[in-house]
């Protein structure tokens, strides 16, 4: 996999892990670097990302949070309980450390052709330009794989109900009324609790209500409801 380059949209500067002989995390003005006859991106601006949430430079060292707000790069710790080297990307381009949800930010003022970078608490819902990053979608997708999605109990209930409706359809069982007692069944209660329309299909004990398409229409109702969750 080719390495990735990260830039800050406010400055247009590129995330770098080396200035001259000094190892540091910063953003660099590549126009200045190119004026020196140095091709860009330099090796120190090329990053690889992993599904464990690591951002590594070409030496294999990982971007690391250090208290109180420093950002360095250190050998990979290999400890899944240590979140100081794990990072994720928000939809708005905020790059935050899993350890404390602090975000990678570009500090002002500029130090000549580069800015320092720190890790700070921010309003993730309303990030400022110096708190955002242009990160290739492929890199973001890889980096975020380690963030386990939080299960939504309501979605799981709906999916279970969809599977039950499919089973009833296969067996041609009544829905809406219990086939033996003709009393409202669990489907009616489930849909009613969510203010969702429900289609009956009953062919039992002389009662004929609805038609066979009711199974699929109820499944579609739940699938559309899930999209709103």
């Amino acid at each position: 996999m080719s390495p990735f380059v990260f830039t800050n949209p406010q400055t247009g500067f590129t995330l770098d892990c080396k200035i001259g002989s000094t190892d540091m995390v910063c953003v660099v003005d590549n126009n200045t670097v190119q004026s020196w006859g140095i091709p860009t991106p330099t090796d120190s601006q090329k990053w690889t990302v992993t599904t464990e949430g690591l951002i590594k430079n070409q030496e294999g060292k990982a971007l690391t949070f250090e208290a109180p707000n420093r950002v360095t790069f250190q050998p990979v710790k290999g400890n899944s309980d240590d979140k100081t080297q794990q990072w994720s990307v928000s939809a708005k381009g905020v790059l935050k450390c899993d350890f404390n949800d602090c975000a990678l930010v570009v500090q002002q003022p500029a130090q000549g052709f580069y800015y320092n970078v720190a890790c700070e608490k921010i309003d993730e819902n309303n990030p400022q330009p110096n708190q955002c990053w242009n990160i290739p979608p492929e890199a973001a997708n890889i980096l975020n794989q380690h963030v386990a999605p939080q299960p939504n109990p309501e979605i799981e209930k709906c999916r279970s109900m969809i599977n039950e409706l499919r089973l009833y359809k296969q067996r041609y069982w009544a829905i809406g009324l219990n086939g033996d007692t003709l009393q409202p069944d669990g489907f009616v209660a489930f849909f009613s609790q969510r203010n969702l329309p429900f289609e009956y299909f009953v062919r039992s004990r002389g009662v004929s209500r609805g038609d066979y398409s009711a199974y699929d229409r109820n499944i579609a109702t739940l699938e559309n409801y899930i999209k709103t969750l």
Side-chain angles (χ1 to χ4, degrees), residues 38-219:
I38 300 175
T40 60
T42 63
D43 284 345
S44 59
Q45 297 171 353
K46 297 176 181 178
W47 303 86
T48 57
V49 298
T50 74
T51 55
E52 291 78 27
L54 301 179
I55 300 175
K56 299 191 294 184
N57 64 14
Q58 295 301 287
E59 296 177 350
K61 293 182 178 179
L63 198 68
T64 306
F65 167 82
E66 290 187 0
N69 64 350
R70 293 186 63 212
V71 185
T72 63
F73 51 99
Q74 304 293 335
V76 175
K77 297 178 180 179
N79 182 354
S80 60
D81 293 328
D82 189 327
K83 306 296 185 183
T84 59
Q85 293 184 331
Q86 290 184 313
W87 302 81
S88 58
V89 186
S90 77
K92 295 184 178 181
V94 173
L95 189 59
K96 62 181 182 178
C97 180
D98 291 1
F99 175 72
N100 54 7
D101 284 340
C102 282
L104 196 68
V105 303
V106 176
Q107 291 188 314
Q108 309 275 1
Q111 308 294 319
F113 66 96
Y114 69 92
Y115 290 80
N116 289 326
V117 172
C119 212
E120 301 174 355
K121 287 285 187 182
I122 69 167
D123 180 0
E124 189 178 339
N125 294 319
N126 186 33
Q128 301 304 303
N130 70 311
Q131 300 166 349
C132 298
W133 298 87
N134 291 326
I135 297 179
E138 183 183 0
N141 289 338
I142 294 171
L143 203 56
N144 285 345
Q145 285 186 34
H146 77 284
V147 183
Q150 297 299 314
N152 185 323
E154 179 69 358
I155 290 178
E156 295 306 311
K157 290 177 183 177
C158 289
R159 286 176 176 161
S160 176
M161 189 60 62
I162 286 172
N163 289 334
E164 194 168 351
L165 282 166
R166 287 173 176 156
L167 175 64
Y168 273 55
K169 178 182 178 180
Q170 292 174 358
R171 299 182 177 180
Y172 204 72
W173 286 350
I175 56 173
L177 297 178
N178 182 285
D180 297 322
T181 65
L182 298 181
Q183 296 299 309
D185 61 15
F187 292 117
V188 173
F190 187 88
F191 279 67
S192 176
Q193 289 166 2
R194 292 157 180 79
N195 293 318
L196 298 174
F198 180 79
E199 302 283 345
Y200 287 73
F201 178 62
V202 181
R203 297 290 187 275
S204 178
R205 300 178 62 184
V207 175
S208 178
R209 185 171 180 180
D211 60 58
Y212 188 70
S213 65
Y215 297 108
D216 291 334
R217 289 201 298 271
N218 289 325
I219 289 172

Side-chain angles (χ1 to χ4, degrees), residues 9-58:
Q10 181 186 46
T11 61
F13 287 14
T14 303
L15 186 66
D16 202 311
C17 63
K18 197 174 192 69
I19 291 295
S21 61
T22 303
D23 293 341
M24 60 186 297
V25 182
C26 57
V27 288
V28 174
D29 178 12
N30 273 353
N31 289 328
T32 301
V33 175
Q34 291 167 9
S35 72
W36 299 335
I38 300 175
T40 60
T42 63
D43 284 345
S44 59
Q45 297 171 353
K46 297 176 181 178
W47 303 86
T48 57
V49 298
T50 74
T51 55
E52 291 78 27
L54 301 179
I55 300 175
K56 299 191 294 184
N57 64 14
Q58 295 301 287

